[in-house]
Amino acid sequence: MGHLQWGTPEALRALLCELVSWESRTLTEGEITFPYKVQEKLGKLDFFKKNPANLSLHEVDLGRHFVNAFYKHPEVKETIVLISHFDTVQTEEYGDLEILAFQPEQLTKKLHERKDDLPEEARIDLESGKYLFGRGTMDMKMGLALHMALIEKASMEEWPINLLLVTVPDEEVNSAGMRAAVKELVALRDKHGLSYKMFFNSEPSFSQKPGDERHYIYSGTMGKIMPAALFYGKETHVGEPLKGMTANYMASFLTQLMEWNPSFLERDLSEETPLPVSLQQKDLKLQYSTQTPYRAAALYNVFIMKRSAADIMDIFEKVAEEAAIKCNESYKAICQRERMEGVGEVQVLRYEKLLSYAVGKFGAELVEQIKRGVQANTDWDEREKSMRIVEKLMIQCQELAPAIVLLFAPPYYPAVNTSSDPLIIESIKLLKETAKSFKEEVSQVHYFNGLCDLSYVQYKDDSDGWTSFEKNTPVWGDSYSIPFDDMLQLQAPVLNVGPFGKDAHQRTERLHIDSAFIQTPFMLERLIKSMMEIPDGELKEAP
């Protein structure tokens, strides 16, 4: 038997630093080249030299690919899917140290000269020598490194279980990578007659509050959905302000009611969702003029546990109707004070209603033409395109104004939770015991409190609640879609176990060295071996 490249803490640390040095910020050239480098690196393992077809790249979009590396045991159908993402967020916040953001060893050294610039908790962690700093160290290239090491070991030792490593781009923006991978997971299952035993992710363990040093494992992930609104008022000249109604005025009423609105709060298994906040609010004027802004847009972030898209749209509509009443009352009082007629009452309508009105008014072909025109603009992202489609339809249907049009903007992450699954209950028990051998305590969280690609497996929806998303998402089917049918076929429990780290998406992003290179690798190996029906005596003891 050959020797393991990534079998020691030192080798694993070197692998992580190499993965981090391959810069792969979302929507940069690095995100396009990264999967080729991973493929080349894994291709050096004996197993993939003998089975090159088991290591493949698959197209996502915009020149981006995901990687499948499939360790297949000849007699086994049971398969664990190891999911990770390789894109990272941007790095401007590193300032003049930005060139070191992807060199963890050098950055960590350099920060010792800048200790006084760091927040206190980060400075203490730096001085302890227990952390490695850098973009992607924690979120989430360490997860990928752990999965690569598992594939290597399983293939060398011929573990009687299949491991499918899937690493994807774009988790930080639209999860295009994972949405594309879902189809391939179904195809691979059918081709090899596999049975998926678990969908396993290694996103890092996030502290639940400042100063929290506990290591968490997650048996589910929160969902996220983005209700949005297009406000269409009535234009006028600033010299005659009451002959119109600005979209900004209308928007202020809805944003006041949406921000931190408790009617969106969900509780499950003694955990609760963060309250909603606005993620963007702007008017859609493309240049300055003394014409008043009569089109504006707002995006709101809503976390979900049990609710479907249909449930959220119903709540959102109620809130918008309340906002419209407040806006109309306030506006009416001003008109009376100024002895003006006004431009009428603001109405609330869903995008699906606007769409069928527009099709009825000037035909489906013109509506498609409007959508195509918006889609052709490569400078606009999915959210901007969503708003612009609604805006262009409203320009053709101004008799509906003033109006608040409700829609969904991408991305949508369904929530998933398998805390009650017997395999998950067993696995968590084993992981807690294993952590104790390091004198560490591991705590279970039922819903991962960030976004996670596990949202696209294990989907359940008895009420077709997702159709509300499809009908009210203007870019649906053109530049954004979710493979709900395929997701329904991927029914296996989910678990997220990753290394401990802090401050993802900040310049102080850092990874706990012992957790990453000693404890988590041991826990993962122990967990997978527990699913292989191997006599326990063959498990080596904790180091």
Side-chain angles (χ1 to χ4, degrees):
M1 206 161 81
H3 110 110
L4 292 167
Q5 288 183 64
W6 306 315
T8 65
E10 297 71 30
L12 204 50
R13 182 166 173 160
L15 173 63
L16 169 73
C17 290
E18 187 175 3
L19 295 176
V20 170
S21 75
W22 303 340
E23 177 281 301
S24 54
R25 290 162 300 169
T26 321
L27 297 171
T28 63
E29 186 57 33
E31 189 186 27
I32 292 171
T33 55
F34 189 94
Y36 291 93
K37 295 174 180 171
V38 172
Q39 184 184 33
E40 187 187 358
K41 191 111 188 130
L42 285 166
K44 292 178 176 153
L45 299 180
D46 289 344
F47 179 82
F48 293 116
K49 282 183 186 161
K50 291 188 193 115
N51 303 280
N54 287 30
L55 180 59
S56 51
L57 293 186
H58 302 266
E59 199 173 333
V60 178
D61 61 5
L62 311 174
R64 302 182 294 187
H65 293 79
F66 66 88
V67 183
N68 269 4
F70 185 29
Y71 159 65
K72 173 132 182 38
H73 187 281
E75 284 118 49
V76 179
K77 298 293 180 201
E78 291 211 319
T79 304
I80 298 172
V81 184
L82 305 172
I83 296 168
S84 63
H85 69 86
F86 57 74
D87 62 316
T88 71
V89 293
Q90 307 298 325
T91 46
E92 296 91 338
E93 69 276 17
Y94 286 90
D96 66 330
L97 294 183
E98 191 170 7
I99 49 169
L100 296 181
F102 302 108
Q103 306 294 336
E105 306 287 7
Q106 287 167 262
L107 176 69
T108 306
K109 268 201 194 75
K110 189 76 180 165
L111 285 173
H112 280 280
E113 298 167 23
R114 304 272 186 100
K115 287 196 288 219
D116 303 340
D117 301 351
L118 294 176
E120 190 187 17
E121 195 183 330
R123 183 180 56 75
I124 292 167
D125 286 348
L126 176 70
E127 287 173 344
S128 74
K130 291 179 178 172
Y131 286 84
L132 196 57
F133 287 69
R135 174 61 76 237
T137 50
M138 166 196 181
D139 185 11
M140 79 159 287
K141 288 183 174 172
M142 190 63 224
L144 171 57
L146 289 165
H147 295 173
M148 288 168 74
L150 279 170
I151 287 269
E152 177 186 36
K153 195 157 196 188
S155 65
M156 298 271 278
E157 297 178 0
E158 298 182 347
W159 294 359
I161 194 159
N162 303 325
L163 297 181
L164 173 59
L165 178 153
V166 180
T167 190
V168 301
D170 191 56
E171 188 266 356
E172 299 291 1
V173 179
N174 283 325
S175 274
M178 189 61 196
R179 286 181 291 118
V182 162
K183 275 189 171 39
E184 187 54 33
L185 283 170
V186 174
L188 205 68
R189 178 199 67 184
D190 295 348
K191 182 180 170 186
H192 295 285
L194 306 174
S195 94
Y196 290 137
K197 193 174 178 76
M198 183 184 282
F199 293 103
F200 188 88
N201 202 323
S202 292
E203 286 273 11
S205 166
F206 284 85
S207 52
Q208 299 284 78
K209 52 183 182 288
D212 179 7
E213 297 281 335
R214 267 188 305 185
H215 191 151
Y216 297 101
I217 53 183
Y218 307 88
S219 46
T221 181
M222 266 183 217
K224 163 204 160 93
I225 194 163
M226 212 148 47
L230 187 286
F231 306 91
Y232 199 99
K234 169 80 179 75
E235 76 284 2
T236 182
H237 184 281
V238 289
E240 302 182 289
L242 284 164
K243 281 196 167 171
M245 183 188 284
T246 70
N248 298 351
Y249 177 74
M250 296 159 64
S252 68
F253 289 91
L254 183 55
T255 293
Q256 276 285 330
L257 289 184
M258 279 300 292
E259 201 93 8
W260 309 312
N261 186 324
S263 53
F264 289 94
L265 181 75
E266 278 193 79
R267 289 189 182 83
D268 188 35
L269 301 167
S270 74
E271 293 172 16
E272 55 181 41
T273 55
L275 292 168
V277 287
S278 56
L279 278 178
Q280 191 177 55
Q281 182 174 314
K282 60 174 189 174
D283 70 61
L284 301 180
K285 261 174 84 167
L286 294 171
Q287 66 280 312
Y288 170 80
S289 75
T290 54
Q291 183 193 51
T292 55
Y294 62 96
R295 294 140 19 242
L299 299 174
Y300 304 103
N301 190 81
V302 173
F303 283 108
I304 46 181
M305 284 175 171
K306 297 284 193 202
R307 285 176 178 153
S308 70
D311 299 330
I312 297 301
M313 185 51 89
D314 290 345
I315 301 169
F316 185 43
E317 189 171 49
K318 275 200 187 72
V319 176
E321 278 163 357
E322 190 188 334
I325 289 167
K326 290 194 163 163
C327 178
N328 288 331
E329 282 170 358
S330 165
Y331 178 66
K332 193 174 165 187
I334 293 165
C335 288
Q336 283 170 347
R337 186 188 78 203
E338 300 293 332
R339 297 193 176 84
M340 290 289 291
E341 262 300 287
V343 296
E345 294 213 325
V346 173
Q347 65 157 329
V348 173
L349 71 158
R350 295 185 183 200
Y351 170 73
E352 57 183 303
K353 198 170 164 190
L354 168 63
L355 190 65
S356 65
Y357 180 89
V359 168
K361 184 179 173 185
F362 45 76
E365 184 40 50
L366 188 64
V367 169
E368 278 313 305
Q369 209 177 318
I370 287 172
K371 284 188 178 182
R372 279 199 300 274
V374 171
Q375 288 289 354
N377 190 322
T378 50
D379 296 337
W380 289 343
D381 70 6
E382 302 316 324
R383 287 147 292 283
E384 190 73 32
K385 285 176 180 174
S386 303
M387 296 303 186
R388 295 290 174 180
I389 288 170
V390 181
E391 175 199 34
K392 299 259 187 290
L393 290 175
M394 274 302 294
I395 287 173
Q396 306 291 339
C397 305
Q398 290 183 39
E399 61 277 17
L400 299 175
I404 302 174
V405 184
L406 310 182
L407 62 142
F408 286 122
Y412 170 34
Y413 287 77
V416 54
N417 181 274
T418 53
S419 297
S420 58
D421 185 282
L423 178 61
I424 296 299
I425 293 167
E426 277 304 299
S427 300
I428 285 171
K429 208 169 100 186
L430 177 81
L431 289 163
K432 285 182 168 180
E433 279 166 21
T434 310
K436 275 203 185 101
S437 64
F438 298 110
K439 318 253 182 303
E440 287 292 326
E441 195 194 336
V442 160
S443 309
Q444 177 183 5
V445 170
H446 297 285
Y447 287 93
F448 182 67
N449 51 335
L451 299 179
C452 171
D453 281 329
L454 289 174
S455 280
Y456 299 104
V457 295
Q458 232 282 324
Y459 184 70
K460 287 187 164 60
D461 184 354
D462 313 324
S463 61
D464 280 351
W466 60 273
T467 53
S468 175
F469 184 81
E470 203 174 305
K471 287 180 188 146
N472 290 293
T473 301
V475 294
W476 180 267
D478 295 324
S479 54
Y480 185 83
S481 57
I482 296 175
F484 288 111
D485 290 341
D486 287 324
M487 282 155 53
L488 283 165
Q489 297 193 48
L490 298 174
Q491 296 297 325
V494 303
L495 190 59
N496 187 93
V497 182
F500 181 74
K502 293 183 187 174
D503 294 354
H505 299 197
Q506 298 175 46
R507 71 190 168 107
T508 46
E509 177 177 349
R510 59 197 182 278
L511 178 71
H512 190 283
I513 291 168
D514 284 356
S515 168
F517 305 119
I518 298 168
Q519 295 159 9
T520 312
F522 186 76
M523 283 161 66
L524 298 193
E525 181 176 337
R526 183 116 201 234
L527 174 66
I528 287 173
K529 285 187 167 170
S530 76
M531 293 189 241
M532 296 186 330
E533 323 297 320
I534 285 184
D536 209 34
E538 291 183 25
L539 279 176
K540 65 179 194 318
E541 282 313 299

